[in-house]
Amino acid sequence: MSGLAADLRVIAALGRRAVNQAFRRPQFLAPIVVFPTLFLAVNTGGAGRAIDLPSFPHVHGFLDFQLAGSMVQSTMLAGVSAGISLALDIEIGFIDRLIAAPVRRSVIVLGRLVATMVLGALSALWFLTVGLIFGAHIQGGVPGFLLVVLLVALCAAAFGSVGAALALKSGKASVVQGIFPLVFVVLFLSSAYFPRDLLLQPAETIAQWNPMSFIAEGIREPIAFGMDTGHTLKALLGIGIVGAIGAALSSWALRARLRSG
Amino acid sequence: MRKATNEVVRVPGAAIPGILAPTIFMLGLTSVFGKLTLLPGFATDEYMTFILPVSLMQGAGFTGAATGVNLARDIELGWFDRLILAPPPRWVLLTGTVLSASLRALMPITVLLIVGFAFGVNFPGVGGLALAVLLSCAFAATAASWGVMLALRFKTQSAAPLMQAGIFMAVLFTASYAPLELLTGWLHDVAEINPVTQIIDAVRQGFIGNVTWGDTLPGLAALAGLLGLLYGLALRGLHRVGA
């Protein structure tokens, strides 16, 4: 029990450090908050008339529909930012010192993931607040609001694990930073920003299988349409797939890094 | 100017995001919002033809803003202190830096045009194409002036998000996704007064119709005004260094 308590203390300390780091350096916070917010503003104003398209689902407004996409974008970028921060820690030798310290190795990654989860929850609160201020309705009410925060936080942790895997494998911030554009490829090939059946091919077909579509639709449902268990479970499945891949790769990369010294 | 353009040869990887990001955005936005062309009043039935000029401006703008990030790095490393002691007048140093951004912008512009035409974007004619390239290069110089101004003000690479966000807003808070009359809410009002809307309209005209003086002159005037203003502010910042 004391071992678990010690691990939790280390996770909390590392998590607090990572959150503080994000707030101190605008380079880390900008991709999580500033750019997705600007993108939300442009998408909503620029493509707002899309709700007049014949097969667009009936929603209160395009902003309600877009919020989920912005939150998913924010969490994906939070995951990349977490990876960059971890890689910077590797570059400056901080991780080597942690490895030499009497703490469980997995705790080093878990601390970073907890911080990413907190940033994800803050991002959800930010976007829901912005949405409500600018006239969005949350059809799922307070339970829907809380469900969205929970899903976005879990989603951030899942993407954080992928970012951590890249950081542990490469050990270079510039390599992790290089996947920023890929985030948008994955998002554009999902239903994060537009209904699946209104996407052009081949995006429409790929979006049917992209776990990001399940996640975005699961987050969107409580906002734009109301609570729906099926969509929530699909979102959890999507998050589980991403998280499992990230956890497996992180574990493999950490072992490889320890073996190579 | 040679020093700034040499960076492309010495660190080719650094140029990739400036090329890759607008290309991904052009292809991605077309996949996502392509059916907006079904809305009554949309200027073309090919969304990529409509969005390509925006991507050209985005690519040129981000390349220009990167000049500011590079300058901030030079300031942090102390290289800029040595440069400022060199005999050439400061406006020469600034002009060289800003013009190098225009040259480097040719990389994303070329890639975007090749990809766009490969995906069936309408050919705007030689005149329309030349105008689009010229205006995009000049916009890169404008963005570089913006980046240099911020780099001299903040003297740190931490200002990079501000440089990029400024360009992001300037380019996308316009009739970027849809014609002005189809924009909704505040974006319609902002796009109407944003001078970059005029520049995008001038770049776009050959792709969706004919090139006319009526669409070209407002774009040229808006670009000249923005470039003059931001270049002036950057030069003022440069003169204040060590004063």
Side-chain angles (χ1 to χ4, degrees):
Chain A
M1 185 62 195
S2 62
L4 178 66
D7 284 351
L8 289 175
R9 264 203 308 276
V10 176
I11 290 171
L14 289 174
R16 203 164 38 241
R17 174 182 175 274
V19 171
N20 287 339
Q21 207 175 32
F23 278 97
R24 280 193 203 125
R25 295 188 185 180
Q27 305 96 298
F28 293 136
L29 209 55
I32 304 170
V33 177
V34 180
F35 288 110
T37 307
L38 291 175
F39 207 53
L40 172 68
V42 175
N43 283 0
T44 308
R49 289 275 164 85
I51 56 173
D52 296 336
L53 289 168
S55 44
F56 202 93
H58 180 71
V59 288
H60 167 259
F62 194 59
L63 175 61
D64 305 36
F65 191 89
Q66 278 296 302
L67 279 171
S70 298
M71 285 188 246
V72 174
Q73 180 190 347
S74 169
T75 56
M76 287 185 82
L77 295 176
V80 179
S81 288
I84 293 171
S85 303
L86 186 61
L88 286 173
D89 281 346
I90 293 170
E91 284 178 5
I92 62 170
F94 180 69
I95 297 297
D96 286 341
R97 278 181 278 157
L98 282 180
I99 286 171
V103 294
R104 208 191 300 268
R105 271 76 190 267
S106 56
V107 159
I108 299 168
V109 179
L110 284 174
R112 181 65 64 179
L113 294 188
V114 166
T116 314
M117 208 157 114
V118 170
L119 289 174
L122 292 175
S123 150
L125 289 172
W126 165 258
F127 282 105
L128 288 169
T129 307
V130 167
L132 288 170
I133 290 170
F134 285 91
H137 287 200
I138 295 169
Q139 304 295 337
V142 175
F145 187 102
L146 295 174
L147 178 62
V148 169
V149 175
L150 177 70
L151 288 175
V152 174
L154 290 173
C155 187
F159 290 124
S161 68
V162 177
L166 279 166
L168 290 166
K169 181 75 188 101
S170 68
K172 287 183 181 153
S174 57
V175 173
V176 186
Q177 199 163 15
I179 69 156
F180 260 116
L182 287 180
V183 166
F184 288 96
V185 174
V186 175
L187 281 171
F188 286 138
L189 294 174
S190 75
S191 56
Y193 297 120
F194 226 51
R196 279 189 218 185
D197 39 352
L198 283 174
L199 300 176
L200 296 187
Q201 289 293 5
E204 184 186 344
T205 305
I206 297 170
Q208 310 284 342
W209 304 99
N210 187 343
M212 224 52 59
S213 296
F214 303 147
I215 298 172
E217 287 165 15
I219 294 171
R220 179 177 297 133
E221 202 67 17
I223 302 172
F225 307 105
M227 302 292 270
D228 179 85
T229 314
H231 276 95
T232 305
L233 290 175
K234 277 187 188 173
L236 289 171
L237 176 70
I239 292 167
I241 292 170
V242 176
I245 293 171
L249 289 176
S250 293
S251 162
W252 169 73
L254 183 60
R255 270 201 301 272
R257 179 159 286 278
L258 292 172
R259 260 201 312 274
S260 67
Chain B
M1 188 169 159
R2 202 175 307 123
K3 184 238 171 213
T5 44
N6 274 350
E7 290 199 24
V8 177
V9 182
R10 288 194 191 131
V11 197
I16 292 173
I19 298 170
L20 207 56
T23 310
I24 288 172
F25 266 74
M26 179 178 73
L27 297 172
L29 288 174
T30 303
S31 295
V32 172
F33 295 130
K35 294 220 172 142
L36 285 180
T37 55
L38 298 174
L39 289 170
F42 210 94
T44 170
D45 55 358
E46 285 291 335
Y47 194 74
M48 200 181 286
T49 298
F50 190 83
I51 204 80
L52 172 67
V54 179
S55 300
L56 292 177
M57 297 285 285
Q58 209 176 23
F62 283 136
T63 304
T67 306
V69 183
N70 292 345
L71 179 65
R73 184 202 56 207
D74 286 347
I75 293 172
E76 283 179 357
L77 295 175
W79 195 90
F80 180 74
D81 291 336
R82 281 181 277 158
L83 182 72
I84 214 79
L85 292 173
R90 293 188 178 187
W91 72 267
V92 172
L93 298 177
L94 179 62
T95 307
T97 308
V98 162
L99 285 179
S100 72
S102 292
L103 271 184
R104 281 188 289 125
L106 285 171
M107 286 169 60
I109 290 169
T110 307
V111 172
L112 284 162
L113 287 170
I114 291 171
V115 173
F117 292 137
F119 278 90
V121 164
N122 292 342
F123 184 69
V126 177
L129 187 64
L131 182 67
V133 172
L134 185 76
L135 288 173
S136 302
C137 286
F139 187 70
T142 310
S145 301
W146 160 256
V148 167
M149 183 188 81
L150 291 178
L152 292 169
R153 172 77 184 80
F154 293 104
K155 297 179 174 58
T156 165
Q157 291 183 80
S158 298
L162 189 58
M163 298 173 195
Q164 290 153 349
I167 298 300
F168 185 96
M169 286 192 284
V171 174
L172 292 184
F173 287 8
T174 60
S176 51
Y177 281 21
L180 195 60
E181 49 281 10
L182 289 180
L183 300 182
T184 58
W186 62 271
L187 186 64
H188 177 270
D189 302 332
V190 172
E192 221 166 21
I193 55 167
N194 183 352
V196 182
T197 299
Q198 310 288 341
I199 306 171
I200 289 183
D201 283 348
V203 175
R204 185 181 276 151
Q205 57 178 325
F207 291 93
I208 59 169
N210 296 320
V211 177
T212 64
W213 280 112
D215 277 333
T216 307
L217 284 178
L220 285 174
L223 191 54
L226 273 179
L227 182 57
L229 175 70
L230 292 171
Y231 182 91
L233 289 171
L235 190 60
R236 192 177 71 154
L238 201 55
H239 278 303
R240 283 183 174 178
V241 176

